[in-house]
Amino acid sequence: MAPPAIIAPSILSADFAALGAACSDTIGQGCDWLHIDIMDGHFVPNITFGAPVVTKIRPHVGRPEASMGQGTFDCHMMIAEPKKWVKDFQKAGCDLYCFHYEAAIDSTAAENPADETEKKTNPKELIHYIHDNGMLAGIAIKPQTPVDVLWDILRNPTKSERPDMVLVMTVHPGFGGQKFMASELPKVKALRERYPDLNIEVDGGLSEGTIDQAAEAGANVIVAGSAVFGAKDPADVISKLREAVDKRR
């Protein structure tokens, strides 16, 4: 049986003028996690926010009482140098640090923003480093990246080098409000068939109109931005997203 539904609204669609209250309210409306999109203007063309904003909203949402529990800050790191920022985001209150495979294979092993080194990192080493810094580790893939790149990482016998979650992007990363790409769901299905207990997240274009396809493929962690924050009744939307996933477990 697949893991239970986890609903993770993306705060990219929240009211930035009252972000702390928006985060608190959404947790109160029944969501599990908050999905926090970090964009650096290099790995993706857009810029959002960094660790100082995470620090400011953290007091508005209680820390999870258990691993992956309610209140988890799921930081989606759409950044060119993911290892450099691990320590800063841990201090800011991140619980799950989800980096992109595409960045990890082409970035340095520098451990601080000001550091420079020619040494390269890799996904397994980065996952281990995230775990060593007390956070859960996620790995994300873009639409153009085949799911096959993950098999060697997921079957790694060293537990500390395996991710706690895989994120399959169902839009091109960088901007909210894009149309859902059902073409990416075979990746989700392949992951679920091989790893029935894995937390599999989908991000991009998720709503009441697309959740059934994602849930049928095997996704259990659902990122929804405007579908939740733009709804007249966010609690009802969260409930319907959860129901669609759980009835397919």
Side-chain angles (χ1 to χ4, degrees), residues 124-125 127-128 131 152-163:
K124 292 178 184 178
E125 189 272 340
I127 290 166
H128 183 87
H131 286 150
D152 181 60
I153 299 166
L154 288 166
R155 63 172 173 250
N156 187 348
T158 304
K159 184 178 180 181
S160 65
E161 295 179 350
R162 293 198 305 267

Side-chain angles (χ1 to χ4, degrees), residues 12 16 37-42 44-50 78 174-175:
L12 196 60
F16 281 16
D37 287 308
I38 309 298
M39 306 181 194
D40 65 355
H42 296 282
V44 292
N46 201 5
I47 296 173
T48 53
F49 34 71
M78 288 171 273
F175 295 92

Side-chain angles (χ1 to χ4, degrees), residues 26 46 67 82 94 106 112 114 127 136 141 156 168 178 183 206:
T26 305
N46 201 5
S67 180
C94 172
D106 193 34
N112 293 287
I127 290 166
L136 298 168
I141 54 173
N156 187 348
V168 175
Q178 297 180 61
S183 59
L206 274 300

Side-chain angles (χ1 to χ4, degrees), residues 135-175:
M135 293 181 290
L136 298 168
I139 186 167
I141 54 173
K142 293 180 178 182
Q144 61 265 41
T145 302
V147 71
D148 306 49
V149 302
L150 299 176
W151 301 145
D152 181 60
I153 299 166
L154 288 166
R155 63 172 173 250
N156 187 348
T158 304
K159 184 178 180 181
S160 65
E161 295 179 350
R162 293 198 305 267
D164 303 287
M165 184 188 77
V166 169
L167 164 56
V168 175
M169 293 298 299
T170 47
V171 297
H172 294 287
F175 295 92

Side-chain angles (χ1 to χ4, degrees), residues 59-74:
H60 293 267
V61 177
R63 298 299 294 257
E65 295 181 0
S67 180
M68 296 196 174
Q70 188 178 43
T72 291
F73 274 18
D74 168 24

Side-chain angles (χ1 to χ4, degrees), residues 51 82-94 97 110-113 115 129-130 132-133 135:
K83 191 172 184 181
K84 282 188 175 185
W85 295 96
V86 170
K87 291 178 180 178
D88 278 22
F89 276 84
Q90 189 277 330
K91 292 175 184 175
C94 172
Y97 191 96
E111 297 183 1
N112 293 287
D115 291 350
Y129 184 70
I130 293 165
D132 272 358
N133 277 272
M135 293 181 290

Side-chain angles (χ1 to χ4, degrees), residues 53-54 86 127 173 248:
V53 172
V54 177
V86 170
I127 290 166
R248 290 173 171 83

